[in-house]
């Protein structure tokens, strides 16, 4: 009995040691995000988590809570911790470049999601061509104005002025509208700061200052939620059409009611998944494309049904 107890105990100890060794050898990837308030960023997290689990890797997530400098500090800490790879959703694409360069020097690959890093030392970018997609929604908007609004409109913008990518979305939108020939007057651009409550207040102030405004363009999810809420709170559903980015349950309701006209929908979970899978490939010595574009869909009343399942 004693011998059998000893053998059983030894087997259990060896199993525990093997498990500990396996855990110690597991690759660790870090995801540095903008905030965890927006559904979009949480969907990126979900896709990345699923891909890490499938690869037998550990994923750690840092929430910068909309503070650009916090992202630099987080990357520096992950370099010290010697993680196997970093995924970054950048707030300030230029300000974060030195930290990315330091990661490269340390042999840690960085993959950027959503926001491209101009001339950065990241190995790849996964996401949307925001300028081009801004042009796509701008063309749709101009065609809508021509067909549904007698060719004339005024538009107010709810953006996030510290976000490089959201500024790209606005630039692309303006470019396409300007080239369309539609008679569109751009009113104020207000700063929603990528925070729902701030965007709501900014949208309400924008509408109050421009009582005859006929359309709103929101450059991201918090801006869109704030814009939708502002239209509802001021009872402007009958005279303001909303266009924006990143579908939400509130936006789907507005689409059904006919006053949210179109929303650019990305594939955030897919972006998170591809980013982790790319780091896994790099760890194995394989190569990845420097730019991995993920297409967008413009969601309208005609195709919204295929997206309802996201909000159940």
């Amino acid at each position: 009995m004693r011998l059998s107890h000893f053998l059983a105990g030894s087997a259990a100890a060896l199993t525990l040691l093997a498990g500990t060794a396996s855990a110690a050898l597991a690759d660790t990837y870090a995801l540095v995000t903008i905030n965890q308030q927006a559904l979009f960023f949480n969907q990126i997290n979900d896709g990345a988590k699923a891909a890490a689990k499938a690869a037998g890797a550990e994923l750690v997530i840092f929430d910068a809570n909309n503070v650009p400098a916090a992202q630099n500090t987080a990357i520096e800490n992950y370099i010290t911790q010697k993680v196997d790879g970093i995924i970054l959703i950048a707030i300030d694409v230029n300000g974060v470049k030195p930290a990315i360069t330091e990661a490269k020097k340390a042999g840690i690959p960085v993959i950027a999601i959503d926001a491209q890093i101009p001339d950065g030392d990241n190995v790849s970018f996964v996401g949307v061509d925001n300028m081009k997609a801004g042009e796509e929604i701008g063309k749709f908007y101009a065609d809508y104005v021509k067909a549904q609004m007698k060719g004339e409109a005024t538009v107010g913008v709810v953006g996030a002025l510290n976000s490089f990518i959201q500024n790209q979305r606005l630039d692309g939108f303006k470019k396409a509208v300007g080239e369309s020939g539609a008679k569109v007057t751009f009113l104020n651009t207000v700063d929603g700061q990528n925070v729902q409550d701030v965007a709501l207040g900014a949208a309400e102030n924008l509408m109050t200052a421009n009582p005859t405004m006929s359309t709103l363009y929101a450059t991201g999810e918090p801006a869109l939620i704030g814009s939708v809420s502002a239209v509802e709170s001021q009872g402007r559903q009958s005279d303001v059409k909303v266009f924006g980015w990143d579908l939400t349950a509130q936006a789907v309701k507005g689409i059904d009611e006919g006053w949210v006209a179109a929303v650019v929908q990305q594939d955030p979970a897919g972006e998170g998944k591809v980013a982790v899978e790319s780091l896994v490939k790099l760890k194995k010595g394989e190569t990845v494309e420097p730019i991995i574009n993920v297409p967008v869909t413009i969601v309208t009343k005609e195709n919204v049904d295929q997206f309802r399942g996201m909000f159940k």
Side-chain angles (χ1 to χ4, degrees), residues 6-20:
F6 172 78
L7 291 173
S10 298
L14 288 171
T15 300
L16 178 62
L17 287 170
T20 303

Short mmCIF file of all heavy atoms in Angstrom, two decimals, residues 6-20:
data_model
loop_
_atom_site.label_atom_id
_atom_site.label_comp_id
_atom_site.label_asym_id
_atom_site.label_seq_id
_atom_site.Cartn_x
_atom_site.Cartn_y
_atom_site.Cartn_z
N PHE A 6 3.09 5.82 -2.84
CA PHE A 6 4.26 6.58 -3.31
C PHE A 6 4.23 6.77 -4.82
O PHE A 6 4.47 7.86 -5.33
CB PHE A 6 5.54 5.85 -2.88
CG PHE A 6 6.79 6.44 -3.46
CD1 PHE A 6 7.34 7.60 -2.93
CD2 PHE A 6 7.40 5.86 -4.57
CE1 PHE A 6 8.48 8.16 -3.48
CE2 PHE A 6 8.52 6.42 -5.12
CZ PHE A 6 9.07 7.56 -4.57
N LEU A 7 3.91 5.67 -5.52
CA LEU A 7 3.87 5.73 -6.98
C LEU A 7 2.77 6.67 -7.46
O LEU A 7 2.96 7.46 -8.40
CB LEU A 7 3.67 4.33 -7.56
CG LEU A 7 4.85 3.37 -7.39
CD1 LEU A 7 4.47 1.97 -7.86
CD2 LEU A 7 6.07 3.87 -8.16
N ALA A 8 1.61 6.59 -6.80
CA ALA A 8 0.50 7.46 -7.20
C ALA A 8 0.86 8.93 -6.95
O ALA A 8 0.60 9.81 -7.77
CB ALA A 8 -0.77 7.10 -6.42
N GLY A 9 1.48 9.18 -5.78
CA GLY A 9 1.87 10.55 -5.47
C GLY A 9 2.92 11.07 -6.43
O GLY A 9 2.88 12.22 -6.85
N SER A 10 3.85 10.20 -6.81
CA SER A 10 4.88 10.60 -7.75
C SER A 10 4.29 10.92 -9.11
O SER A 10 4.67 11.89 -9.76
CB SER A 10 5.92 9.49 -7.90
OG SER A 10 6.56 9.24 -6.67
N ALA A 11 3.34 10.09 -9.55
CA ALA A 11 2.69 10.33 -10.84
C ALA A 11 1.95 11.65 -10.83
O ALA A 11 2.00 12.42 -11.80
CB ALA A 11 1.72 9.18 -11.15
N ALA A 12 1.25 11.92 -9.71
CA ALA A 12 0.52 13.18 -9.61
C ALA A 12 1.48 14.37 -9.65
O ALA A 12 1.21 15.39 -10.29
CB ALA A 12 -0.31 13.21 -8.33
N ALA A 13 2.60 14.23 -8.96
CA ALA A 13 3.58 15.32 -8.93
C ALA A 13 4.16 15.56 -10.32
O ALA A 13 4.34 16.71 -10.74
CB ALA A 13 4.70 14.99 -7.94
N LEU A 14 4.45 14.47 -11.03
CA LEU A 14 4.99 14.62 -12.38
C LEU A 14 3.99 15.27 -13.31
O LEU A 14 4.35 16.10 -14.15
CB LEU A 14 5.39 13.24 -12.93
CG LEU A 14 6.65 12.62 -12.31
CD1 LEU A 14 6.81 11.17 -12.77
CD2 LEU A 14 7.88 13.43 -12.70
N THR A 15 2.71 14.90 -13.15
CA THR A 15 1.66 15.52 -13.97
C THR A 15 1.57 17.01 -13.69
O THR A 15 1.46 17.83 -14.61
CB THR A 15 0.29 14.87 -13.67
OG1 THR A 15 0.38 13.48 -13.98
CG2 THR A 15 -0.82 15.50 -14.51
N LEU A 16 1.64 17.38 -12.40
CA LEU A 16 1.59 18.79 -12.02
C LEU A 16 2.78 19.54 -12.58
O LEU A 16 2.64 20.64 -13.13
CB LEU A 16 1.56 18.91 -10.49
CG LEU A 16 1.55 20.33 -9.92
CD1 LEU A 16 0.29 21.07 -10.38
CD2 LEU A 16 1.61 20.31 -8.40
N LEU A 17 3.96 18.94 -12.48
CA LEU A 17 5.16 19.59 -13.00
C LEU A 17 5.08 19.76 -14.51
O LEU A 17 5.47 20.79 -15.06
CB LEU A 17 6.41 18.78 -12.64
CG LEU A 17 6.85 18.84 -11.16
CD1 LEU A 17 7.93 17.82 -10.89
CD2 LEU A 17 7.34 20.25 -10.84
N ALA A 18 4.56 18.74 -15.18
CA ALA A 18 4.42 18.82 -16.64
C ALA A 18 3.48 19.94 -17.02
O ALA A 18 3.72 20.70 -17.96
CB ALA A 18 3.93 17.49 -17.19
N GLY A 19 2.39 20.05 -16.26
CA GLY A 19 1.41 21.11 -16.53
C GLY A 19 2.01 22.48 -16.30
O GLY A 19 1.79 23.41 -17.08
N THR A 20 2.80 22.59 -15.22
CA THR A 20 3.44 23.87 -14.90
C THR A 20 4.45 24.25 -15.98
O THR A 20 4.53 25.40 -16.41
CB THR A 20 4.15 23.78 -13.53
OG1 THR A 20 3.18 23.42 -12.55
CG2 THR A 20 4.77 25.11 -13.16
#
